[in-house]
Amino acid sequence: MKRTPMIAGNWKMNLTIAAGVELVKTIHYTHRHPGEVDVVVAPPFTALRAIADTLNDSYISVAAQNIHWETSGAFTGEISAVFAKDAGAEYVIIGHSERRQYFGETNETVNKKVKAAFLHGLTPIVCVGETDAEREAGRVHEVINTQVEQGLAGLTKGQFENLIVAYEPVWAIGTGKTATGQQAEEVHASIRELLVKLTGQEAAEKIRILYGGSVGAKNAKELLSFPNIDGALVGGASLKPQDFVEIIKSAGAL
Ligand code: 13P
């Protein structure tokens, strides 16, 4: 089945409002017709509204990088799906390995956040991935399967069909060490097999599985050529307009 490729840029804790607006204007004007590609950028919360307004009439959508699972209330410092959506987000990245590693994110909180995202009309991009030690210990499938099963527990078929999964091996993030296309495809295929078990063939075939971890202008095309690699979640290279545009182009040329 043909899935529309998605290229998403995760800016992490980078770019002020002014710098972010300049970046998306450059991307938008440099590459106006990406064809059959969904393009998303995930700025820091503070820049969401300005970026969403800048991109109002463009083909690029906006994502938050995290949400809290509650809707509102006494949760000082937190941002819920309602506020992310109010600021212009359509998507939200959930369970990024940096949140798991530094901020105590667990499969259980991922699951609550995924449900909160759907409840308030945001499309979740759910991240999974093993560490170097887990790969060395031969535990890749066990770790990924647990993250997928627990992170996506209790979702309806309609929710499964709409969600996006991102496979980001922790050892490949920000390290310049990319998984080979073959290595990534092997994990993506096994994630899809598990999704078939969880929600049936038809819904599982609709789910886009993005690859993330040192994706750049040079390796995007090869990675995206594999049948179960439906796009990329890009960190560092998404801050460089030329590189990000090249990655979008490689997806558009599929
Ligand atoms: P890099 O592309 O910088 O390795 O980051 C990947 C990532 O974490 C995207 O969410």
Side-chain angles (χ1 to χ4, degrees), residues 79 84 114 180 193 196 198-199:
I79 307 280
V114 170
T180 62
E193 243 172 70
V196 170
L198 295 175
T199 189

Side-chain angles (χ1 to χ4, degrees), residues 8-10 12 93 96-98 127 168 172-176 212-216 233-238:
N10 176 9
K12 309 193 178 182
I93 298 170
H96 191 281
S97 63
E98 285 149 19
C127 302
E168 299 206 311
I173 295 178
T175 57
S214 298
V215 175
L233 183 53
V234 185
S238 73

Side-chain angles (χ1 to χ4, degrees), residues 38-59:
D38 288 340
V39 181
V40 177
V41 292
F45 284 121
T46 45
L48 271 181
R49 171 45 65 198
I51 301 296
D53 285 347
T54 307
L55 293 172
N56 198 17
D57 61 347
S58 95
Y59 60 88

Side-chain angles (χ1 to χ4, degrees), residues 11-117:
W11 295 358
K12 309 193 178 182
M13 198 166 70
N14 294 295
L15 304 184
T16 57
I17 296 173
V21 166
E22 197 184 317
L23 177 76
V24 290
K25 279 188 178 164
T26 312
I27 298 166
H28 181 45
Y29 294 129
T30 327
H31 191 52
R32 274 175 177 281
H33 301 291
E36 282 290 292
V37 187
D38 288 340
V39 181
V40 177
V41 292
F45 284 121
T46 45
L48 271 181
R49 171 45 65 198
I51 301 296
D53 285 347
T54 307
L55 293 172
N56 198 17
D57 61 347
S58 95
Y59 60 88
I60 304 172
S61 305
V62 176
Q65 298 176 16
N66 178 41
I67 46 166
H68 187 62
W69 58 83
E70 292 290 345
T71 302
S72 63
F75 300 97
T76 302
E78 293 295 325
I79 307 280
S80 79
V82 172
F83 297 96
K85 198 169 163 71
D86 186 46
E90 290 176 52
Y91 296 87
V92 57
I93 298 170
I94 295 177
H96 191 281
S97 63
E98 285 149 19
R99 297 218 57 87
R100 293 177 190 260
Q101 197 177 342
Y102 306 129
F103 304 104
E105 190 88 82
T106 62
N107 294 329
E108 194 191 357
T109 58
V110 167
N111 187 243
K112 289 189 195 177
K113 291 179 180 190
V114 170
K115 288 175 176 162

Side-chain angles (χ1 to χ4, degrees), residues 3 160-161 192 195-197 199-209:
R3 292 174 288 269
F160 266 110
E161 283 181 0
R192 196 170 312 280
L195 291 169
V196 170
K197 286 196 198 120
T199 189
Q201 184 84 30
E202 202 189 329
E205 287 292 330
K206 292 188 181 155
I207 302 172
R208 287 179 286 190
I209 307 176

